[in-house]
Amino acid sequence: MAKLKSNCDPSDPVFRANAQAYAGLLADLLAKYDWALGGGGAKMLARHRQRNKIPVRERIDLLVDPLTPFLELSPLASWGIYDNSLPSAGIVTGIGTVRGTTCMIIANDATVKGGSFFKETVRKHIRAQDIAHENRLPVIYLVDCGGANLQNLEDVFPDQEHFGGTFYRQCRMSAEGIPQVAAVFGESTAGGAYIPVLSDEFVMVGSNSSIHLGGPQIVRAAISEVVDRDALGGALMHTTVSGVSDHYAADERAAIAKLRDIVSALNYRQPISGRIAPREPLYDPADLGGIVGADLSRPVDPREIIARIADGSEFHEFKPQYGETLVCGFAHIDGFPVGIIANNGVLFSHSTVKGVHFIALSDQRNVPLLFLQNTTGFMVGSDAERGGIAKHSAKLVYAVSNARVPRYTLVTGSSYGAGNYGMSGRGFRPRFMFMWPNARLGGMNPDIGSSVLMDLRRASISRNPATEDELATYEADLRRQFAEKSDPYFCTARVWDDGIIAPADTRSVLSLCLATGAMQPLRQEHRAVYRM
């Protein structure tokens, strides 16, 4: 393949200004990570340890194989919501290796609201299950959960994507032969009791764990029976009397060791297909901050990004002289083949059909697709409409929706409107989707969105009078709202992505995601490639 040539000059004043601005974005990201890692705070962590309980991320460290990575998903879920009192939405999810098997790990954090489920907790739990289902990953549940948050039942209980949806997914994955195992470290109450009980095999910790559909207070209120927690649903009773639990562990370390033994006995094969010997890019990924900067109005050649994530900075570009606002081509990332579709401006009709053609090629060749989003959307205006932008953009949406190869999405800049859809946004179910801290995602660019609403407001001025000062205040509020709701932290807080990552970490993160997708056998049936 041809090697990309970078035009980046680290000594250029613009590069240095961009790098300085991006360093501020990264410092802000790290500060927010500290919030997530702090869990329920020092007081709750101290109480947790006093009960001989291990904090959730330390449990995961003990569970995964030494010196292997753990890809944590959506660590900043619930940022800016509930007065920041729900770090990581009270649950840690991610992909790690246990006894040589790549697994999805879903772990409650009991230091955060007792591990109870809020709306974002459910979304994050379900998202982890969906990733496991699509990639056929065994699931390990580390249960320390008080069930649904009783003050927010309307947000977590009745609908199909609420708490019950987690149990439905457990049942469906079991029926499809995807192993699910669990360890119970603390309370597993009400709906939370189903997480271990719907697992294939699980262990309970003797000192702190319990499982009961109704706790002692509920039992007393419902049938006037007075019973303590251990007699009602403790580990010893469930392991020796009811048979609900399969294993008894004296403490948490013993439970984690037992979990590792359970995984070692799964007899679950995960051969990786299509990988070749990896090579480092020719250019330093640390340059990406200086290339991209924090100003989204500046155009960024996506080839500069590709040159810093692709093996050997090699890229076989498809139709390089046609539809130039969409860059398409083949590369390898850490040895894994990938077809890259990257925005280089607004999407015109010719760039759109070029993307459709390239998706068909990648699908025919069993090459996963990576979308690098940085666009304000499809072109508008009379010329664009006469050129058929509506039908051509529909073709791209069709192609993305029906591609059979795994799709991965990274938002490197703007992701607005239908451009988000055509570039495999979250609504089109990519295997993974990440954002950079400079990225923005929303239904409309803040400038355009506020302008449209201001035009509508001025058109209604005769029915609803306002002074110029009032209109100016209204416009400022509109711009603030659009900007706030397209901010990456607003998006990740609501689990609209799988996390915000630093540009320099992109290659490593994508490698883990591509490895996960490569564990499934290559598809044997083919389709014709229709030239657009």
Side-chain angles (χ1 to χ4, degrees), residues 44 48 53 56 59 90 108-115 144-145:
M44 292 303 299
H48 202 67
K53 298 180 75 171
V56 62
R59 288 172 180 163
N108 305 111
D109 185 353
T111 71
V112 179
K113 306 294 185 184
D144 203 347
C145 163

Side-chain angles (χ1 to χ4, degrees), residues 112-150:
V112 179
K113 306 294 185 184
S116 60
F117 277 71
F118 288 69
K119 177 169 65 174
E120 292 74 21
T121 319
V122 175
R123 283 182 60 85
K124 191 170 170 180
H125 187 116
I126 283 178
R127 174 61 183 154
Q129 287 179 307
D130 287 346
I131 290 171
H133 191 183
E134 189 165 28
N135 293 282
R136 297 193 62 81
L137 299 178
V139 184
I140 301 174
Y141 301 96
L142 306 184
V143 185
D144 203 347
C145 163
N149 182 270
L150 298 180

